[in-house]
Amino acid sequence: FFHDHTLLILTMITILVSYIMGMLMFNKFTNRYLLHGQTIEIIWTVLPAIILMFIAFPSLRLLYLMDEINTPSITLKSVGHQWYWSYEYSDFLNLEFDSYMVPTNELETNGFRLLDVDNRVVLPMNNQIRILVTATDVLHSWTVPSLGVKVDATPGRLNQLNFLINRPGLFFGQCSEICGANHSFM
């Protein structure tokens, strides 16, 4: 809806500007009162500001609604270390584990090289999921490309992300921030 709203405003502006430019190119007459005038300068200053407000207010509303979390079913805390992730299911008592990448020489024949881990995170389908992400040492980035989620893990800061998994499957993630020597192994 917001895309259509913005596209309609941009289409109207494009048509108006094209019409005025066409009239200027094919019209031999000039209006001497339009060459210098405070009224026209006020109009072409205030009108774009009003148009920008018509675009900005729906955009700010959408940004607010996207950041709002609708009572998550489960909360997962993810902590980035050099070079592994620690996970904690905050809704349960003492359910936390470390997730290391499986080395290539220990990988099974049907395993995925540089993607498989020793402890996988299990999350429910068709439920709101909240992920709290932080780091202990350097910048990391918790990313699952097939779900379209990415959030930075910054030491001393707790970032929050919510999403909904709408299909079953095995989804692989990685750190997409260059975080050190073994960055490609987390």
Side-chain angles (χ1 to χ4, degrees):
F1 177 75
F2 175 69
H3 173 265
D4 294 343
H5 172 76
T6 307
L7 198 62
L8 181 68
I9 292 174
L10 292 177
T11 303
M12 290 188 319
I13 291 172
T14 304
I15 290 172
L16 178 69
V17 169
S18 299
Y19 174 76
I20 291 173
M21 287 180 64
M23 287 291 108
L24 286 175
M25 292 175 83
F26 296 115
N27 192 355
K28 302 289 187 218
F29 304 111
T30 57
N31 187 342
R32 65 185 178 122
Y33 295 112
L34 285 180
L35 292 178
H36 298 286
Q38 191 172 10
T39 308
I40 191 68
E41 290 180 11
I42 290 174
I43 289 172
W44 72 46
T45 303
V46 171
L47 191 63
I50 293 171
I51 291 172
L52 285 176
M53 285 192 294
F54 274 108
I55 295 173
F57 288 139
S59 174
L60 291 173
R61 181 180 169 271
L62 276 180
L63 283 173
Y64 174 76
L65 290 176
M66 284 174 51
D67 199 36
E68 189 175 312
I69 302 213
N70 301 327
T71 59
S73 300
I74 191 166
T75 300
L76 176 71
K77 183 178 177 185
S78 175
V79 181
H81 304 275
Q82 286 184 333
W83 284 274
Y84 65 96
W85 292 98
S86 294
Y87 294 101
E88 174 186 332
Y89 288 94
S90 302
D91 301 329
F92 306 103
L93 295 175
N94 294 333
L95 188 53
E96 57 186 61
F97 58 91
D98 294 334
S99 181
Y100 291 91
M101 184 179 294
V102 177
T104 306
N105 57 353
E106 298 176 14
L107 199 61
E108 297 178 13
T109 56
N110 60 351
F112 293 94
R113 185 179 161 286
L114 297 181
L115 288 175
D116 252 336
V117 293
D118 57 354
N119 293 318
R120 292 181 177 162
V121 173
V122 179
L123 293 172
M125 187 177 88
N126 292 328
N127 287 306
Q128 282 289 333
I129 301 165
R130 174 176 47 197
I131 304 268
L132 303 173
V133 181
T134 188
T136 58
D137 38 33
V138 297
L139 291 176
H140 298 285
S141 186
W142 193 87
T143 309
V144 182
S146 55
L147 293 177
V149 294
K150 178 178 181 177
V151 63
D152 288 336
T154 308
R157 182 180 175 131
L158 192 63
N159 288 329
Q160 177 174 278
L161 173 75
N162 70 323
F163 61 93
L164 180 90
I165 301 174
N166 59 3
R167 61 188 187 281
L170 183 62
F171 303 104
F172 292 104
Q174 68 261 359
C175 178
S176 59
E177 184 79 41
I178 299 178
C179 56
N182 291 331
H183 155 71
S184 58
F185 301 105
M186 87 177 276

